[in-house]
Amino acid sequence: MSDRFQRLLGDSPARLLLRLVILSLVVGVVLAALGVEPYDIVASAMRFANRIWGMGFDAIDRVWRYFLLGAVVVIPVWLVLRLLNVGRNRF
């Protein structure tokens, strides 16, 4: 079971946590250099949720479009990265 969990995460939980902490720090520095604050992101998410609530069922269409727009980019990138990692691990 542990091997499946490790394969799912791509690394041991401790190393994954360390990588995520370091990546979060790097992204935080870049966003701070661009003048983006965490409260801006939270406020934007709250405005988005309020707009969805206010629009009613028309919001479902908008969320679906956001999902599809993101999925068109995220899924192929994830698939390519996983395939490259699988190929690298075999040698």
Side-chain angles (χ1 to χ4, degrees):
M1 186 65 164
S2 176
D3 187 43
R4 288 183 187 175
F5 188 66
Q6 191 169 351
R7 264 190 291 159
L8 174 68
L9 295 177
D11 207 349
S12 71
R15 278 194 259 183
L16 177 65
L17 182 63
L18 181 63
R19 282 184 183 176
L20 290 175
V21 166
I22 292 171
L23 183 61
S24 294
L25 286 171
V26 170
V27 169
V29 168
V30 170
L31 289 176
L34 294 173
V36 177
E37 293 290 324
Y39 300 111
D40 295 338
I41 295 171
V42 171
S44 178
M46 290 178 67
R47 280 193 310 269
F48 175 72
N50 284 335
R51 269 191 259 141
I52 287 176
W53 184 264
M55 288 188 300
F57 288 107
D58 190 36
I60 294 172
D61 181 52
R62 178 170 261 162
V63 170
W64 179 249
R65 288 178 187 221
Y66 287 157
F67 168 75
L68 288 178
L69 181 62
V72 165
V73 174
V74 170
I75 301 300
V77 169
W78 174 80
L79 182 62
V80 167
L81 289 174
R82 290 303 293 172
L83 290 174
L84 289 175
N85 284 338
V86 167
R88 188 180 327 152
N89 291 338
R90 288 189 181 180
F91 296 110

Coordinates of all heavy atoms in Angstrom, one line a residue:
M1 N 0.8 -1.2 0.0 CA 0.0 0.0 0.0 C 0.9 1.3 0.0 O 0.6 2.2 -0.7 CB -0.9 0.0 1.2 CG -1.9 1.1 1.2 SD -3.0 0.9 -0.1 CE -4.3 2.0 0.4
S2 N 2.0 1.2 0.7 CA 2.9 2.4 0.8 C 3.5 2.7 -0.5 O 3.7 3.8 -0.9 CB 3.9 2.1 1.9 OG 4.9 3.2 1.9
D3 N 3.8 1.6 -1.3 CA 4.4 1.8 -2.6 C 3.4 2.5 -3.6 O 3.8 3.3 -4.3 CB 4.8 0.4 -3.2 CG 5.6 0.6 -4.5 OD1 6.4 1.5 -4.6 OD2 5.3 -0.2 -5.4
R4 N 2.1 2.1 -3.5 CA 1.1 2.7 -4.3 C 0.9 4.2 -3.9 O 0.8 5.1 -4.8 CB -0.2 2.0 -4.1 CG -0.3 0.7 -4.8 CD -1.7 0.2 -4.6 NE -1.8 -1.2 -5.0 CZ -2.9 -2.0 -4.9 NH1 -3.9 -1.5 -4.3 NH2 -2.9 -3.2 -5.4
F5 N 0.9 4.5 -2.6 CA 0.8 5.9 -2.2 C 2.0 6.7 -2.6 O 1.9 7.8 -3.1 CB 0.7 5.9 -0.6 CG 0.4 7.2 -0.1 CD1 -0.8 7.8 -0.3 CD2 1.3 7.8 0.7 CE1 -1.1 9.0 0.3 CE2 1.1 9.1 1.3 CZ -0.2 9.7 1.0
Q6 N 3.2 6.1 -2.6 CA 4.4 6.8 -3.0 C 4.4 7.0 -4.5 O 4.8 8.1 -5.0 CB 5.6 6.0 -2.6 CG 6.9 6.8 -2.8 CD 8.1 6.1 -2.1 OE1 7.9 5.2 -1.4 NE2 9.3 6.6 -2.4
R7 N 3.9 6.0 -5.3 CA 3.8 6.2 -6.7 C 2.8 7.3 -7.1 O 3.0 8.1 -8.0 CB 3.4 4.9 -7.4 CG 4.6 4.2 -7.9 CD 4.2 3.0 -8.8 NE 3.5 2.1 -7.9 CZ 2.7 1.1 -8.4 NH1 2.4 1.1 -9.6 NH2 2.2 0.3 -7.5
L8 N 1.7 7.4 -6.3 CA 0.7 8.4 -6.5 C 1.2 9.8 -6.3 O 1.0 10.7 -7.1 CB -0.5 8.2 -5.6 CG -1.6 9.2 -5.7 CD1 -2.3 9.2 -7.0 CD2 -2.6 9.0 -4.5
L9 N 2.0 10.0 -5.2 CA 2.6 11.3 -4.9 C 3.8 11.6 -5.8 O 4.2 12.7 -5.9 CB 2.9 11.3 -3.4 CG 1.8 11.2 -2.4 CD1 2.3 11.2 -1.0 CD2 0.8 12.4 -2.7
G10 N 4.5 10.5 -6.3 CA 5.7 10.7 -7.1 C 6.9 10.7 -6.3 O 8.0 10.7 -6.8
D11 N 6.8 10.7 -4.9 CA 8.0 10.7 -4.1 C 7.5 10.4 -2.7 O 6.3 10.2 -2.4 CB 8.7 12.1 -4.1 CG 10.2 12.0 -3.8 OD1 10.6 10.9 -3.3 OD2 10.9 13.0 -4.0
S12 N 8.5 10.3 -1.7 CA 8.0 10.0 -0.4 C 7.3 11.2 0.2 O 7.6 12.4 -0.3 CB 9.3 9.7 0.5 OG 10.0 10.9 0.7
P13 N 6.4 11.1 1.1 CA 5.6 12.2 1.6 C 6.5 13.3 2.2 O 6.3 14.5 2.0 CB 4.8 11.6 2.7 CG 4.6 10.2 2.3 CD 5.9 9.8 1.7
A14 N 7.6 13.0 2.9 CA 8.5 14.0 3.5 C 9.2 14.8 2.4 O 9.3 16.0 2.4 CB 9.5 13.3 4.4
R15 N 9.7 14.1 1.3 CA 10.4 14.8 0.3 C 9.4 15.7 -0.5 O 9.7 16.8 -1.0 CB 11.1 13.9 -0.7 CG 12.4 13.5 -0.1 CD 13.2 12.8 -1.2 NE 13.2 11.4 -0.9 CZ 13.8 10.5 -1.6 NH1 14.5 10.8 -2.7 NH2 13.7 9.2 -1.3
L16 N 8.2 15.1 -0.7 CA 7.1 15.9 -1.4 C 6.8 17.2 -0.6 O 6.7 18.2 -1.2 CB 5.9 15.0 -1.6 CG 4.7 15.8 -2.3 CD1 5.1 16.2 -3.7 CD2 3.5 14.9 -2.3
L17 N 6.6 17.0 0.7 CA 6.4 18.2 1.5 C 7.5 19.2 1.4 O 7.2 20.4 1.3 CB 6.1 17.7 3.0 CG 5.8 18.8 3.9 CD1 4.5 19.5 3.6 CD2 5.8 18.3 5.4
L18 N 8.7 18.8 1.4 CA 9.9 19.7 1.3 C 9.8 20.4 0.0 O 10.0 21.6 -0.1 CB 11.2 18.9 1.5 CG 12.4 19.8 1.4 CD1 12.5 20.8 2.5 CD2 13.7 18.9 1.5
R19 N 9.6 19.6 -1.1 CA 9.5 20.3 -2.4 C 8.4 21.3 -2.5 O 8.6 22.4 -3.1 CB 9.3 19.2 -3.5 CG 10.4 18.4 -3.9 CD 10.1 17.5 -5.0 NE 11.2 16.6 -5.3 CZ 11.1 15.7 -6.2 NH1 10.0 15.4 -6.8 NH2 12.2 14.9 -6.5
L20 N 7.2 21.0 -1.9 CA 6.1 21.9 -2.0 C 6.4 23.1 -1.2 O 6.0 24.3 -1.6 CB 4.8 21.2 -1.5 CG 4.3 20.2 -2.4 CD1 3.1 19.5 -1.8 CD2 3.9 20.7 -3.8
V21 N 7.1 23.0 0.0 CA 7.5 24.2 0.8 C 8.4 25.1 0.0 O 8.3 26.3 -0.1 CB 8.1 23.7 2.1 CG1 8.8 24.9 2.8 CG2 7.0 23.1 3.0
I22 N 9.4 24.5 -0.6 CA 10.4 25.2 -1.4 C 9.8 25.9 -2.6 O 10.0 27.1 -2.8 CB 11.6 24.4 -1.8 CG1 12.4 24.0 -0.6 CG2 12.5 25.1 -2.8 CD1 13.5 22.9 -0.8
L23 N 8.9 25.2 -3.3 CA 8.2 25.7 -4.4 C 7.3 26.9 -4.0 O 7.2 27.9 -4.7 CB 7.4 24.6 -5.2 CG 6.7 25.1 -6.4 CD1 7.7 25.6 -7.5 CD2 5.9 23.9 -7.0
S24 N 6.6 26.7 -2.9 CA 5.8 27.8 -2.4 C 6.5 29.0 -2.0 O 6.1 30.1 -2.3 CB 5.0 27.3 -1.1 OG 4.1 26.2 -1.5
L25 N 7.7 28.9 -1.5 CA 8.6 30.0 -1.2 C 9.0 30.7 -2.4 O 9.0 32.0 -2.5 CB 9.8 29.6 -0.4 CG 9.5 29.3 1.1 CD1 10.7 28.7 1.8 CD2 9.1 30.5 1.8
V26 N 9.4 30.0 -3.4 CA 9.9 30.6 -4.7 C 8.7 31.3 -5.4 O 8.9 32.4 -5.8 CB 10.4 29.5 -5.6 CG1 10.7 30.0 -7.0 CG2 11.7 28.9 -5.0
V27 N 7.5 30.7 -5.5 CA 6.4 31.3 -6.1 C 6.0 32.5 -5.3 O 5.6 33.6 -5.8 CB 5.2 30.3 -6.2 CG1 3.9 31.0 -6.6 CG2 5.6 29.2 -7.2
G28 N 6.1 32.4 -4.0 CA 5.7 33.6 -3.1 C 6.7 34.8 -3.4 O 6.2 35.9 -3.4
V29 N 7.9 34.5 -3.6 CA 8.9 35.6 -3.8 C 8.6 36.2 -5.2 O 8.6 37.4 -5.3 CB 10.3 35.0 -3.8 CG1 11.3 36.0 -4.4 CG2 10.7 34.7 -2.4
V30 N 8.3 35.4 -6.2 CA 7.9 35.9 -7.5 C 6.7 36.7 -7.5 O 6.6 37.9 -8.0 CB 7.8 34.8 -8.5 CG1 7.2 35.3 -9.8 CG2 9.2 34.1 -8.8
L31 N 5.6 36.2 -6.8 CA 4.4 37.0 -6.7 C 4.6 38.3 -5.9 O 4.0 39.3 -6.3 CB 3.3 36.1 -6.1 CG 2.8 35.0 -7.0 CD1 1.8 34.1 -6.2 CD2 2.2 35.5 -8.2
A32 N 5.4 38.2 -4.9 CA 5.7 39.5 -4.1 C 6.4 40.5 -5.0 O 6.1 41.7 -4.9 CB 6.5 39.1 -2.9
A33 N 7.3 40.0 -5.8 CA 8.0 40.9 -6.7 C 7.0 41.6 -7.7 O 7.3 42.7 -8.2 CB 9.1 40.2 -7.4
L34 N 6.0 40.8 -8.1 CA 5.0 41.4 -9.0 C 3.9 42.2 -8.3 O 3.0 42.8 -8.9 CB 4.3 40.2 -9.7 CG 5.2 39.4 -10.7 CD1 4.4 38.2 -11.2 CD2 5.7 40.3 -11.8
G35 N 4.0 42.3 -7.0 CA 3.1 43.1 -6.2 C 1.8 42.4 -5.9 O 0.8 43.1 -5.5
V36 N 1.7 41.1 -6.0 CA 0.5 40.4 -5.6 C 0.6 40.0 -4.2 O 1.6 39.5 -3.7 CB 0.4 39.1 -6.5 CG1 -0.8 38.3 -6.1 CG2 0.4 39.5 -8.0
E37 N -0.5 40.2 -3.5 CA -0.6 39.9 -2.1 C -1.6 38.7 -1.9 O -2.5 38.5 -2.7 CB -1.2 41.1 -1.3 CG -0.2 42.3 -1.2 CD 1.0 42.0 -0.4 OE1 0.9 41.3 0.7 OE2 2.1 42.5 -0.7
P38 N -1.4 37.9 -0.8 CA -2.3 36.8 -0.6 C -3.7 37.2 -0.4 O -4.7 36.6 -0.9 CB -1.8 36.1 0.7 CG -0.4 36.6 0.9 CD -0.3 37.9 0.1
Y39 N -3.9 38.4 0.2 CA -5.3 38.9 0.4 C -5.9 39.2 -0.9 O -7.2 39.1 -1.0 CB -5.2 40.1 1.3 CG -4.7 39.8 2.7 CD1 -3.4 40.3 3.1 CD2 -5.3 38.9 3.5 CE1 -2.9 39.9 4.3 CE2 -4.8 38.6 4.8 CZ -3.6 39.1 5.1 OH -3.0 38.8 6.4
D40 N -5.2 39.7 -1.9 CA -5.7 39.9 -3.3 C -6.3 38.6 -3.8 O -7.4 38.6 -4.4 CB -4.7 40.5 -4.2 CG -4.1 41.8 -3.8 OD1 -4.8 42.5 -3.0 OD2 -3.0 42.2 -4.2
I41 N -5.6 37.5 -3.7 CA -6.0 36.3 -4.2 C -7.3 35.8 -3.5 O -8.3 35.4 -4.1 CB -4.9 35.2 -4.1 CG1 -3.7 35.6 -5.0 CG2 -5.4 33.8 -4.5 CD1 -2.5 34.8 -4.9
V42 N -7.3 35.9 -2.2 CA -8.5 35.5 -1.4 C -9.7 36.4 -1.7 O -10.8 35.9 -1.9 CB -8.1 35.6 0.1 CG1 -9.4 35.4 0.9 CG2 -7.1 34.5 0.5
A43 N -9.4 37.7 -1.8 CA -10.5 38.6 -2.2 C -11.1 38.3 -3.6 O -12.3 38.3 -3.8 CB -10.1 40.1 -2.1
S44 N -10.2 38.0 -4.5 CA -10.6 37.7 -5.8 C -11.5 36.4 -5.8 O -12.5 36.3 -6.5 CB -9.4 37.5 -6.8 OG -9.8 37.1 -8.0
A45 N -11.0 35.4 -5.1 CA -11.8 34.1 -5.0 C -13.2 34.4 -4.3 O -14.2 33.8 -4.8 CB -11.0 33.1 -4.2
M46 N -13.2 35.3 -3.4 CA -14.5 35.6 -2.7 C -15.4 36.3 -3.7 O -16.6 36.0 -3.7 CB -14.3 36.4 -1.4 CG -13.6 35.5 -0.3 SD -13.3 36.4 1.2 CE -14.9 36.8 1.7
R47 N -14.9 37.3 -4.5 CA -15.7 38.0 -5.5 C -16.2 37.0 -6.5 O -17.4 37.0 -6.9 CB -14.8 39.0 -6.2 CG -14.7 40.3 -5.4 CD -14.2 41.5 -6.2 NE -13.0 41.1 -7.0 CZ -11.7 41.3 -6.5 NH1 -11.5 41.8 -5.3 NH2 -10.7 40.9 -7.2
F48 N -15.4 36.0 -6.9 CA -15.8 35.0 -7.9 C -16.9 34.2 -7.3 O -17.9 33.9 -8.0 CB -14.6 34.1 -8.2 CG -14.9 32.9 -9.1 CD1 -15.2 33.1 -10.4 CD2 -14.9 31.6 -8.6 CE1 -15.5 32.1 -11.2 CE2 -15.2 30.6 -9.4 CZ -15.5 30.8 -10.7
A49 N -16.8 33.8 -6.0 CA -17.9 33.0 -5.4 C -19.2 33.8 -5.3 O -20.3 33.3 -5.5 CB -17.4 32.5 -4.0
N50 N -19.0 35.1 -4.9 CA -20.2 35.9 -4.9 C -20.9 36.1 -6.2 O -22.1 36.1 -6.3 CB -19.8 37.3 -4.3 CG -19.6 37.2 -2.8 OD1 -20.2 36.3 -2.1 ND2 -18.8 38.1 -2.2
R51 N -20.1 36.3 -7.3 CA -20.6 36.4 -8.6 C -21.4 35.1 -9.0 O -22.4 35.2 -9.6 CB -19.5 36.7 -9.6 CG -19.3 38.2 -9.8 CD -18.4 38.4 -11.0 NE -17.1 38.7 -10.4 CZ -16.0 38.3 -10.9 NH1 -15.9 37.6 -12.0 NH2 -14.8 38.6 -10.4
I52 N -20.8 34.0 -8.7 CA -21.5 32.7 -9.0 C -22.8 32.6 -8.3 O -23.8 32.2 -8.8 CB -20.5 31.5 -8.7 CG1 -19.4 31.4 -9.7 CG2 -21.3 30.2 -8.6 CD1 -18.4 30.4 -9.4
W53 N -22.8 32.9 -7.0 CA -24.0 32.9 -6.2 C -25.0 33.9 -6.8 O -26.2 33.5 -6.9 CB -23.7 33.3 -4.8 CG -24.9 33.1 -3.9 CD1 -25.7 34.1 -3.5 CD2 -25.4 32.0 -3.2 NE1 -26.7 33.7 -2.6 CE2 -26.5 32.3 -2.5 CE3 -25.0 30.6 -3.3 CZ2 -27.2 31.4 -1.8 CZ3 -25.7 29.7 -2.5 CH2 -26.8 30.1 -1.8
G54 N -24.6 35.0 -7.2 CA -25.5 36.0 -7.7 C -26.1 35.7 -9.1 O -27.2 36.1 -9.4
M55 N -25.3 35.0 -9.9 CA -25.8 34.7 -11.2 C -26.7 33.5 -11.3 O -27.4 33.3 -12.3 CB -24.6 34.5 -12.1 CG -23.8 35.7 -12.4 SD -22.5 35.5 -13.6 CE -21.5 34.2 -12.9
G56 N -26.7 32.7 -10.3 CA -27.6 31.5 -10.3 C -27.1 30.4 -11.2 O -25.9 30.1 -11.3
F57 N -28.0 29.9 -12.0 CA -27.7 28.7 -12.8 C -26.8 29.1 -14.0 O -26.2 28.2 -14.6 CB -28.9 28.0 -13.3 CG -29.6 27.2 -12.2 CD1 -30.8 27.7 -11.6 CD2 -29.0 26.1 -11.7 CE1 -31.4 27.0 -10.6 CE2 -29.6 25.4 -10.6 CZ -30.8 25.9 -10.1
D58 N -26.8 30.4 -14.4 CA -26.0 30.8 -15.5 C -24.5 30.6 -15.1 O -23.6 30.5 -15.9 CB -26.2 32.2 -15.9 CG -25.5 32.7 -17.1 OD1 -25.4 31.9 -18.0 OD2 -25.1 33.9 -17.2
A59 N -24.3 30.6 -13.8 CA -22.9 30.5 -13.3 C -22.4 29.1 -13.6 O -21.1 28.9 -13.7 CB -22.9 30.7 -11.8
I60 N -23.2 28.1 -13.6 CA -22.8 26.7 -13.9 C -22.1 26.7 -15.3 O -21.0 26.1 -15.4 CB -23.9 25.7 -13.8 CG1 -24.4 25.7 -12.4 CG2 -23.5 24.4 -14.3 CD1 -25.7 24.9 -12.2
D61 N -22.6 27.4 -16.2 CA -22.0 27.5 -17.6 C -20.7 28.2 -17.5 O -19.7 27.7 -18.1 CB -23.0 28.2 -18.5 CG -22.4 28.3 -19.9 OD1 -22.0 27.2 -20.5 OD2 -22.3 29.4 -20.5
R62 N -20.6 29.2 -16.7 CA -19.3 30.0 -16.6 C -18.3 29.1 -15.9 O -17.1 29.1 -16.4 CB -19.5 31.3 -15.9 CG -18.2 32.0 -15.7 CD -18.5 33.4 -15.2 NE -18.4 34.3 -16.3 CZ -18.9 35.5 -16.4 NH1 -19.5 36.0 -15.3 NH2 -18.8 36.2 -17.5
V63 N -18.6 28.4 -14.9 CA -17.7 27.5 -14.2 C -17.2 26.4 -15.1 O -16.1 26.0 -15.1 CB -18.3 27.0 -12.9 CG1 -17.5 25.9 -12.2 CG2 -18.5 28.1 -11.9
W64 N -18.2 25.9 -15.8 CA -17.8 24.8 -16.7 C -16.8 25.3 -17.8 O -15.9 24.6 -18.1 CB -19.1 24.3 -17.4 CG -18.9 23.2 -18.4 CD1 -19.0 23.3 -19.7 CD2 -18.4 21.9 -18.1 NE1 -18.7 22.1 -20.3 CE2 -18.3 21.2 -19.4 CE3 -18.1 21.2 -17.0 CZ2 -17.9 19.9 -19.5 CZ3 -17.7 19.9 -17.1 CH2 -17.6 19.2 -18.3
R65 N -17.0 26.5 -18.3 CA -16.1 27.0 -19.2 C -14.7 27.3 -18.6 O -13.7 27.0 -19.2 CB -16.6 28.3 -19.8 CG -17.8 28.1 -20.8 CD -18.3 29.4 -21.3 NE -19.5 29.2 -22.0 CZ -19.8 29.8 -23.2 NH1 -18.9 30.7 -23.6 NH2 -20.9 29.6 -23.8
Y66 N -14.7 27.8 -17.4 CA -13.4 27.9 -16.7 C -12.7 26.6 -16.5 O -11.5 26.4 -16.7 CB -13.6 28.6 -15.3 CG -13.9 30.0 -15.3 CD1 -14.6 30.6 -14.2 CD2 -13.6 30.9 -16.4 CE1 -14.9 31.9 -14.2 CE2 -13.9 32.2 -16.4 CZ -14.6 32.7 -15.3 OH -14.9 34.1 -15.2
F67 N -13.5 25.6 -16.1 CA -12.9 24.2 -16.0 C -12.4 23.7 -17.3 O -11.2 23.2 -17.3 CB -14.0 23.3 -15.4 CG -13.6 21.8 -15.5 CD1 -12.7 21.3 -14.6 CD2 -14.1 21.0 -16.5 CE1 -12.3 20.0 -14.7 CE2 -13.8 19.7 -16.6 CZ -12.8 19.2 -15.6
L68 N -13.1 23.8 -18.3 CA -12.6 23.3 -19.6 C -11.4 24.1 -20.1 O -10.4 23.5 -20.6 CB -13.7 23.4 -20.7 CG -14.9 22.4 -20.5 CD1 -15.9 22.7 -21.6 CD2 -14.4 21.0 -20.6
L69 N -11.4 25.4 -19.9 CA -10.3 26.2 -20.3 C -9.0 25.8 -19.5 O -7.9 25.6 -20.1 CB -10.5 27.7 -20.0 CG -9.5 28.7 -20.4 CD1 -9.2 28.6 -21.9 CD2 -9.9 30.1 -19.9
G70 N -9.1 25.6 -18.2 CA -8.0 25.1 -17.4 C -7.6 23.7 -17.8 O -6.4 23.3 -17.9
A71 N -8.6 22.8 -18.0 CA -8.3 21.4 -18.3 C -7.6 21.2 -19.6 O -6.8 20.3 -19.8 CB -9.6 20.6 -18.3
V72 N -7.9 22.1 -20.6 CA -7.2 22.0 -21.9 C -5.7 22.2 -21.8 O -4.9 21.7 -22.5 CB -7.8 23.1 -22.9 CG1 -7.0 23.3 -24.1 CG2 -9.2 22.6 -23.3
V73 N -5.3 23.0 -20.8 CA -3.9 23.2 -20.5 C -3.3 22.2 -19.5 O -2.3 21.6 -19.7 CB -3.6 24.6 -20.0 CG1 -2.2 24.8 -19.6 CG2 -4.1 25.6 -21.1
V74 N -4.0 22.0 -18.4 CA -3.5 21.2 -17.3 C -3.4 19.7 -17.6 O -2.3 19.1 -17.4 CB -4.4 21.4 -16.1 CG1 -4.0 20.4 -15.0 CG2 -4.2 22.8 -15.5
I75 N -4.4 19.1 -18.2 CA -4.4 17.7 -18.5 C -3.3 17.3 -19.4 O -2.5 16.4 -19.1 CB -5.8 17.2 -19.0 CG1 -6.9 17.5 -18.0 CG2 -5.7 15.7 -19.3 CD1 -6.7 16.9 -16.6
P76 N -3.1 17.9 -20.6 CA -2.0 17.5 -21.5 C -0.6 17.7 -20.8 O 0.3 16.9 -21.0 CB -2.1 18.4 -22.7 CG -3.5 18.8 -22.7 CD -3.9 18.9 -21.3
V77 N -0.4 18.8 -20.1 CA 0.9 19.0 -19.4 C 1.1 18.0 -18.4 O 2.2 17.4 -18.3 CB 0.9 20.5 -18.8 CG1 2.1 20.6 -17.9 CG2 0.9 21.5 -19.9
W78 N 0.1 17.6 -17.6 CA 0.3 16.6 -16.6 C 0.6 15.3 -17.2 O 1.5 14.5 -16.8 CB -1.0 16.5 -15.8 CG -1.0 15.4 -14.8 CD1 -0.4 15.3 -13.6 CD2 -1.6 14.1 -15.0 NE1 -0.6 14.1 -13.0 CE2 -1.3 13.3 -13.9 CE3 -2.4 13.5 -16.0 CZ2 -1.8 12.0 -13.7 CZ3 -2.8 12.2 -15.9 CH2 -2.5 11.5 -14.8
L79 N -0.1 14.9 -18.3 CA 0.1 13.7 -19.0 C 1.5 13.6 -19.6 O 2.2 12.6 -19.4 CB -0.9 13.5 -20.1 CG -0.9 12.2 -20.9 CD1 -1.2 11.0 -20.0 CD2 -1.9 12.2 -22.0
V80 N 2.0 14.6 -20.2 CA 3.3 14.6 -20.7 C 4.4 14.5 -19.6 O 5.3 13.7 -19.7 CB 3.6 15.9 -21.6 CG1 5.1 16.1 -21.9 CG2 2.8 15.9 -22.9
L81 N 4.2 15.2 -18.5 CA 5.1 15.1 -17.4 C 5.1 13.7 -16.8 O 6.2 13.2 -16.5 CB 4.8 16.1 -16.4 CG 5.1 17.6 -16.8 CD1 4.6 18.5 -15.7 CD2 6.6 17.8 -17.0
R82 N 4.0 13.1 -16.7 CA 3.9 11.7 -16.1 C 4.6 10.8 -17.1 O 5.3 9.9 -16.6 CB 2.5 11.3 -15.8 CG 1.8 12.0 -14.7 CD 2.5 11.9 -13.4 NE 2.5 10.6 -12.9 CZ 3.2 10.1 -11.9 NH1 3.9 11.0 -11.2 NH2 3.1 8.9 -11.5
L83 N 4.3 10.9 -18.4 CA 5.0 10.0 -19.3 C 6.5 10.2 -19.3 O 7.2 9.2 -19.4 CB 4.4 10.2 -20.7 CG 2.9 9.8 -20.9 CD1 2.5 10.2 -22.3 CD2 2.8 8.3 -20.7
L84 N 6.9 11.4 -19.2 CA 8.4 11.6 -19.2 C 9.0 11.0 -17.9 O 10.1 10.5 -17.9 CB 8.7 13.1 -19.2 CG 8.5 13.8 -20.6 CD1 8.7 15.3 -20.5 CD2 9.3 13.2 -21.7
N85 N 8.3 11.1 -16.8 CA 8.8 10.6 -15.5 C 8.8 9.0 -15.6 O 9.7 8.4 -15.1 CB 7.9 11.0 -14.3 CG 8.2 12.4 -13.9 OD1 9.3 12.9 -14.2 ND2 7.3 13.1 -13.3
V86 N 7.8 8.4 -16.2 CA 7.7 7.0 -16.3 C 8.9 6.5 -17.2 O 9.6 5.5 -16.8 CB 6.4 6.5 -16.9 CG1 6.4 5.1 -17.3 CG2 5.3 6.7 -15.9
G87 N 9.1 7.2 -18.3 CA 10.2 6.8 -19.1 C 11.6 7.0 -18.4 O 12.5 6.2 -18.6
R88 N 11.7 8.0 -17.6 CA 13.0 8.2 -16.9 C 13.2 7.2 -15.8 O 14.3 6.8 -15.6 CB 12.9 9.6 -16.3 CG 14.3 10.0 -15.7 CD 14.3 11.4 -15.1 NE 13.4 12.3 -15.7 CZ 12.9 13.4 -15.1 NH1 13.1 13.6 -13.8 NH2 12.1 14.2 -15.7
N89 N 12.1 6.7 -15.2 CA 12.3 5.8 -14.1 C 12.6 4.4 -14.5 O 13.1 3.6 -13.8 CB 11.0 5.7 -13.2 CG 10.8 7.0 -12.5 OD1 11.7 7.8 -12.2 ND2 9.5 7.3 -12.1
R90 N 12.4 4.1 -15.8 CA 12.7 2.7 -16.3 C 14.1 2.5 -16.6 O 14.6 1.4 -16.6 CB 11.9 2.5 -17.6 CG 10.4 2.3 -17.3 CD 9.7 1.8 -18.5 NE 8.3 1.7 -18.2 CZ 7.4 1.3 -19.1 NH1 7.8 1.0 -20.3 NH2 6.1 1.2 -18.7
F91 N 14.9 3.5 -16.8 CA 16.3 3.4 -17.1 C 17.2 3.5 -15.9 O 17.1 4.1 -15.0 CB 16.7 4.4 -18.2 CG 16.0 4.2 -19.5 CD1 15.1 5.1 -20.0 CD2 16.3 3.1 -20.3 CE1 14.4 4.9 -21.2 CE2 15.6 2.9 -21.5 CZ 14.7 3.8 -21.9

